[in-house]
Amino acid sequence: GGDCSSIDFASVSNIVGNGQAFLALDQDGGIGQCWGNSRYGGDCSSVDFSYASFGGDCSALDFNGISEVFSNDYAFVALDAASVRGFCWGQSLYGGDCSSVDFDGVTKVHANSYAFLALSPDKGTGQCWGCASVGGDCSSLN
């Protein structure tokens, strides 16, 4: 994630990094700029956040409405709690694929190095994804 010389930081409202990459987010403009190791979310040039979860590239993502971005060492999660949507990119094995996660009611996402936990406090539920052996499977707890 060392060379950010091509990033326009003028309207950036939030920056999130993981062990290998960064995301600079312009929440008002709905634009995300990524750099670093493309396998871990550093290339966001062809993903559209307005539709579904994608792997390692997020440059075509529509960040409109994204209120928070979370990361672990290998992937990112963008959350739009108001519109009940979340999107992931990066290493799918470690959380870069959240297509099975229902973001309805999710207000917070937590991470360890290899997995994510999405909390829905009003429902009293949590959903985990990523590497099952290190926190990516919490199905026995719900």
CSV table of all heavy atoms in Angstrom, one decimal, residues 10-35:
chain,number,residue,atom,x,y,z
A,10,ALA,N,-8.6,15.3,-2.2
A,10,ALA,CA,-9.3,16.5,-1.9
A,10,ALA,C,-10.6,16.4,-1.2
A,10,ALA,O,-10.9,17.2,-0.4
A,10,ALA,CB,-9.5,17.3,-3.3
A,11,SER,N,-11.4,15.4,-1.5
A,11,SER,CA,-12.7,15.3,-0.9
A,11,SER,C,-12.9,14.0,0.0
A,11,SER,O,-14.0,13.6,0.3
A,11,SER,CB,-13.8,15.2,-2.0
A,11,SER,OG,-13.8,16.3,-2.8
A,12,VAL,N,-11.7,13.4,0.3
A,12,VAL,CA,-11.7,12.2,1.1
A,12,VAL,C,-12.3,12.5,2.5
A,12,VAL,O,-11.8,13.4,3.2
A,12,VAL,CB,-10.3,11.6,1.1
A,12,VAL,CG1,-10.3,10.5,2.1
A,12,VAL,CG2,-10.0,11.1,-0.3
A,13,SER,N,-13.2,11.7,3.0
A,13,SER,CA,-13.8,11.8,4.3
A,13,SER,C,-13.4,10.7,5.2
A,13,SER,O,-13.5,10.9,6.4
A,13,SER,CB,-15.3,11.9,4.2
A,13,SER,OG,-15.8,10.8,3.5
A,14,ASN,N,-12.9,9.6,4.7
A,14,ASN,CA,-12.5,8.5,5.5
A,14,ASN,C,-11.4,7.7,4.8
A,14,ASN,O,-11.5,7.5,3.6
A,14,ASN,CB,-13.7,7.6,5.8
A,14,ASN,CG,-13.5,6.6,6.9
A,14,ASN,OD1,-12.5,6.7,7.6
A,14,ASN,ND2,-14.4,5.7,7.0
A,15,ILE,N,-10.5,7.2,5.6
A,15,ILE,CA,-9.5,6.3,5.0
A,15,ILE,C,-9.4,5.0,5.9
A,15,ILE,O,-9.4,5.1,7.1
A,15,ILE,CB,-8.1,6.9,5.0
A,15,ILE,CG1,-8.1,8.1,4.0
A,15,ILE,CG2,-7.0,5.9,4.5
A,15,ILE,CD1,-6.8,8.9,3.9
A,16,VAL,N,-9.5,3.9,5.2
A,16,VAL,CA,-9.4,2.6,5.9
A,16,VAL,C,-8.3,1.7,5.3
A,16,VAL,O,-8.2,1.7,4.1
A,16,VAL,CB,-10.8,1.9,5.8
A,16,VAL,CG1,-10.7,0.5,6.6
A,16,VAL,CG2,-11.9,2.7,6.4
A,17,GLY,N,-7.6,1.1,6.1
A,17,GLY,CA,-6.5,0.2,5.6
A,17,GLY,C,-6.6,-1.2,6.2
A,17,GLY,O,-7.2,-1.4,7.3
A,18,ASN,N,-6.0,-2.1,5.5
A,18,ASN,CA,-5.8,-3.4,6.1
A,18,ASN,C,-4.3,-3.7,6.0
A,18,ASN,O,-3.5,-2.8,5.9
A,18,ASN,CB,-6.7,-4.5,5.4
A,18,ASN,CG,-6.3,-4.7,4.0
A,18,ASN,OD1,-5.2,-4.4,3.5
A,18,ASN,ND2,-7.3,-5.3,3.2
A,19,GLY,N,-3.9,-5.0,6.2
A,19,GLY,CA,-2.5,-5.3,6.2
A,19,GLY,C,-1.8,-5.1,4.8
A,19,GLY,O,-0.6,-5.1,4.8
A,20,GLN,N,-2.6,-4.9,3.8
A,20,GLN,CA,-2.0,-4.9,2.4
A,20,GLN,C,-2.4,-3.8,1.5
A,20,GLN,O,-1.9,-3.6,0.5
A,20,GLN,CB,-2.2,-6.2,1.7
A,20,GLN,CG,-1.8,-7.5,2.4
A,20,GLN,CD,-0.3,-7.7,2.2
A,20,GLN,OE1,0.3,-7.3,1.2
A,20,GLN,NE2,0.3,-8.3,3.2
A,21,ALA,N,-3.5,-3.1,1.9
A,21,ALA,CA,-4.1,-2.1,1.0
A,21,ALA,C,-4.9,-1.0,1.8
A,21,ALA,O,-5.1,-1.1,3.0
A,21,ALA,CB,-5.1,-2.8,0.1
A,22,PHE,N,-5.3,0.1,1.0
A,22,PHE,CA,-6.0,1.2,1.6
A,22,PHE,C,-7.2,1.5,0.7
A,22,PHE,O,-7.2,1.3,-0.5
A,22,PHE,CB,-5.2,2.4,1.7
A,22,PHE,CG,-4.1,2.4,2.7
A,22,PHE,CD1,-2.8,2.0,2.4
A,22,PHE,CD2,-4.4,2.8,4.0
A,22,PHE,CE1,-1.8,2.0,3.4
A,22,PHE,CE2,-3.4,2.8,5.0
A,22,PHE,CZ,-2.1,2.4,4.7
A,23,LEU,N,-8.2,2.1,1.4
A,23,LEU,CA,-9.4,2.7,0.7
A,23,LEU,C,-9.5,4.2,1.2
A,23,LEU,O,-9.5,4.4,2.4
A,23,LEU,CB,-10.7,2.0,1.0
A,23,LEU,CG,-12.0,2.8,0.7
A,23,LEU,CD1,-12.2,2.9,-0.8
A,23,LEU,CD2,-13.1,2.1,1.4
A,24,ALA,N,-9.5,5.1,0.2
A,24,ALA,CA,-9.8,6.5,0.5
A,24,ALA,C,-11.3,6.8,0.1
A,24,ALA,O,-11.6,6.6,-1.1
A,24,ALA,CB,-8.9,7.4,-0.2
A,25,LEU,N,-12.1,7.1,1.0
A,25,LEU,CA,-13.6,7.2,0.7
A,25,LEU,C,-14.0,8.7,0.7
A,25,LEU,O,-13.8,9.4,1.7
A,25,LEU,CB,-14.4,6.4,1.7
A,25,LEU,CG,-15.9,6.4,1.6
A,25,LEU,CD1,-16.3,5.8,0.2
A,25,LEU,CD2,-16.5,5.6,2.7
A,26,ASP,N,-14.7,9.1,-0.4
A,26,ASP,CA,-15.4,10.4,-0.4
A,26,ASP,C,-16.9,10.0,-0.2
A,26,ASP,O,-17.6,9.7,-1.2
A,26,ASP,CB,-15.2,11.0,-1.8
A,26,ASP,CG,-16.0,12.3,-2.0
A,26,ASP,OD1,-16.8,12.6,-1.2
A,26,ASP,OD2,-15.9,12.8,-3.1
A,27,GLN,N,-17.4,10.1,1.0
A,27,GLN,CA,-18.7,9.7,1.3
A,27,GLN,C,-19.8,10.6,0.6
A,27,GLN,O,-20.8,10.1,0.1
A,27,GLN,CB,-19.0,9.7,2.8
A,27,GLN,CG,-18.3,8.6,3.5
A,27,GLN,CD,-18.4,8.7,5.0
A,27,GLN,OE1,-17.9,9.7,5.6
A,27,GLN,NE2,-18.9,7.7,5.6
A,28,ASP,N,-19.5,11.9,0.5
A,28,ASP,CA,-20.4,12.8,-0.2
A,28,ASP,C,-20.5,12.5,-1.7
A,28,ASP,O,-21.6,12.6,-2.2
A,28,ASP,CB,-20.1,14.3,0.1
A,28,ASP,CG,-20.2,14.7,1.5
A,28,ASP,OD1,-21.1,14.0,2.2
A,28,ASP,OD2,-19.5,15.6,2.0
A,29,GLY,N,-19.4,12.3,-2.3
A,29,GLY,CA,-19.4,12.0,-3.7
A,29,GLY,C,-19.6,10.6,-4.1
A,29,GLY,O,-19.8,10.3,-5.3
A,30,GLY,N,-19.6,9.7,-3.1
A,30,GLY,CA,-19.9,8.3,-3.4
A,30,GLY,C,-18.7,7.7,-4.2
A,30,GLY,O,-19.0,6.8,-5.0
A,31,ILE,N,-17.5,8.1,-3.9
A,31,ILE,CA,-16.3,7.6,-4.7
A,31,ILE,C,-15.3,7.0,-3.7
A,31,ILE,O,-15.0,7.5,-2.7
A,31,ILE,CB,-15.7,8.7,-5.5
A,31,ILE,CG1,-16.6,9.3,-6.5
A,31,ILE,CG2,-14.4,8.3,-6.2
A,31,ILE,CD1,-16.2,10.6,-7.1
A,32,GLY,N,-14.8,5.8,-4.1
A,32,GLY,CA,-13.7,5.2,-3.4
A,32,GLY,C,-12.5,5.0,-4.3
A,32,GLY,O,-12.6,4.7,-5.5
A,33,GLN,N,-11.3,5.3,-3.7
A,33,GLN,CA,-10.1,5.1,-4.4
A,33,GLN,C,-9.2,4.1,-3.6
A,33,GLN,O,-9.1,4.3,-2.4
A,33,GLN,CB,-9.3,6.4,-4.5
A,33,GLN,CG,-10.1,7.5,-5.2
A,33,GLN,CD,-9.4,8.8,-5.2
A,33,GLN,OE1,-8.5,9.0,-6.0
A,33,GLN,NE2,-9.8,9.6,-4.2
A,34,CYS,N,-8.7,3.0,-4.2
A,34,CYS,CA,-8.0,2.0,-3.5
A,34,CYS,C,-6.6,1.9,-4.0
A,34,CYS,O,-6.3,2.2,-5.2
A,34,CYS,CB,-8.7,0.6,-3.7
A,34,CYS,SG,-10.4,0.6,-3.1
A,35,TRP,N,-5.6,1.5,-3.2
A,35,TRP,CA,-4.3,1.3,-3.6
A,35,TRP,C,-3.6,0.3,-2.7
A,35,TRP,O,-4.1,0.0,-1.6
A,35,TRP,CB,-3.5,2.6,-3.7
A,35,TRP,CG,-3.1,3.2,-2.4
A,35,TRP,CD1,-1.9,3.1,-1.7
A,35,TRP,CD2,-3.9,4.1,-1.6
A,35,TRP,NE1,-2.0,3.8,-0.5
A,35,TRP,CE2,-3.2,4.4,-0.4
A,35,TRP,CE3,-5.2,4.6,-1.7
A,35,TRP,CZ2,-3.7,5.3,0.6
A,35,TRP,CZ3,-5.7,5.4,-0.7
A,35,TRP,CH2,-5.0,5.7,0.4
